[in-house]
Each structure stands twice: as structure tokens, then as C-alpha cells.
């Protein structure tokens, strides 16, 4: 895993924005990229002038996320469960993972796409079950965009602010990714619950 992440970091370092776009696309079709390490590294590269702008870095990373999720959605929509059953093992998407995603959809509806943008591994393959479920494109892209924007901007800006120390902090974030995801999901859920109650009043 670490060797693969190092390889993807090398792609970003060598090919700049094009490398970042390709890496983030791969991360969103199930490749074990380690986005929590790549994005802060990209932010650090922007801070040191290797990449020209932090904001362009965020935009390119976001474009890569949307590109990968589009591919995943198309695979799910037109390949369906038979495709997943045959090829899912290559991106570690088996019955257990599909069941976890199914539970998310059952509980949260289309908002599950937003939640899954912060859940390790599932964030990279959520487009496939969304395509299988034939989720309408507007909510799919809306929640994907919102979640990916927060995720990419947060890690890139973190890397930009920390510079050479970005890798150490990113590794800590990776270690506690589940806890961070839970905190984010709870905070967002509380926001929508409180907002709903205020609107009713």
C-alpha cells in the first residue's frame, strides 16, 4: 500500500496537475491511492511553488474526483451487479462492501453519497452502487461535488499550510480517518436536523 502511494505521489511530483488529475481519477474507481496522503502532498507542492496555485490544485483534484465517480456511476448503471460480481474483486468491492453501501443508501437516501465522500475506501467506489441503483444524476453530482470539495480543499489547504510537515500530519489523519469521518457525518447530520426543525417552526 505504501509503495503504491509513493508511486502515485511520484506521479503528482513529476507530472504536476495532469498527474494529480489522473491519480484522483484512479482513486475514485477503487485504486488504492491513499488520497489522504496525496492531497496534502499536492498542497505542499503548491506552497513551495512546484504547483502554481493552491486553488488550481483543489480544482484539479475535484475534477479528478468527479471524473472517477462518473466512470464508477457508468460502470454500475450499465454493467450492473453482474459486472461487480465478476470484476469487483479487483477493486476490493465484494458482497460485504456492497452490503455496507446498501445500508447507507437505505438509511440516508441520496445524501449517503455525501457521507461516503469521507469514508475510507467506500468513497472511492460509491459511484458504482449509485449507478446500480440508478440514482438521478442531479443529486448524485450535487452530493459528490459538495463532499469532494470539502475533502479535497481541506487536505490541500492543510498540506499548503504545513509545507514540509504535511506528510506527517496526513499520516496521522489517515490513521484516524474513521473517527474523523464519524465526526464529520454527525456534525452534518445535526446541521440538517436542526435546520429542518427551524423550518418547521
Amino acid at each position: 500500500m505504501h509503495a503504491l502511494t509513493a508511486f502515485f505521489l511520484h506521479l503528482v511530483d513529476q507530472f504536476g496537475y495532469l498527474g494529480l488529475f489522473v491519480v484522483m481519477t484512479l482513486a475514485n474507481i477503487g485504486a488504492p491511492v491513499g488520497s489522504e496522503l496525496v492531497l496534502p502532498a499536492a498542497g505542499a507542492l503548491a506552497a513551495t511553488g512546484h504547483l502554481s496555485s493552491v486553488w488550481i490544485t483543489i480544482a484539479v483534484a475535484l475534477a479528478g474526483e468527479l471524473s472517477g465517480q462518473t466512470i464508477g456511476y457508468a460502470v454500475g448503471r450499465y454493467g450492473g451487479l453482474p459486472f461487480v460480481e465478476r470484476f469487483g474483486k479487483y477493486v476490493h468491492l465484494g458482497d460485504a462492501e456492497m452490503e455496507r453501501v446498501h445500508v447507507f443508501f437505505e438509511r440516508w437516501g441520496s445524501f449517503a453519497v455525501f457521507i461516503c465522500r469521507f469514508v475510507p475506501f467506500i468513497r472511492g467506489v460509491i459511484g458504482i452502487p449509485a449507478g446500480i441503483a440508478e440514482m438521478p444524476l442531479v443529486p448524485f453530482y450535487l452530493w459528490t461535488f459538495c463532499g469532494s470539495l470539502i475533502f479535497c480543499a481541506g487536505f490541500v489547504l492543510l498540506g499548503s499550510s504545513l509545507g514540509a510537515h504535511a506528510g506527517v500530519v496526513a499520516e496521522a489523519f489517515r490513521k484516524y480517518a474513521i473517527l474523523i469521518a464519524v465526526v464529520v457525518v454527525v456534525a452534518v447530520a445535526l446541521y440538517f436536523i436542526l435546520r429542518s426543525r427551524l423550518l418547521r417552526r
Side-chain angles (χ1 to χ4, degrees), residues 47-163:
T48 57
H50 188 79
L51 296 175
S52 61
S53 166
V54 169
W55 304 110
I56 294 176
T57 302
I58 293 172
V60 171
L62 179 59
E65 293 242 310
L66 293 173
S67 171
Q69 288 302 305
T70 297
I71 294 170
Y73 184 93
V75 166
R77 184 74 179 260
Y78 301 109
L81 283 173
F83 184 93
V84 173
E85 290 171 356
R86 185 173 181 181
F87 299 104
K89 60 185 178 181
Y90 297 110
V91 293
H92 304 288
L93 182 61
D95 293 337
E97 289 74 24
M98 286 295 293
E99 180 61 27
R100 287 171 65 191
V101 175
H102 178 71
V103 170
F104 265 99
F105 277 124
E106 284 289 312
R107 183 169 185 180
W108 298 100
S110 63
F111 185 59
V113 173
F114 177 84
I115 297 172
C116 289
R117 301 315 299 150
F118 305 97
V119 180
F121 172 73
I122 290 181
R123 72 180 310 276
V125 295
I126 187 61
I128 296 175
I132 291 174
E134 298 187 359
M135 180 182 293
L137 288 175
V138 171
F140 173 74
Y141 278 112
L142 172 65
W143 292 125
T144 299
F145 177 86
C146 291
S148 294
L149 179 61
I150 295 170
F151 184 87
C152 293
F155 276 110
V156 170
L157 291 173
L158 175 69
S160 175
S161 64
L162 293 171

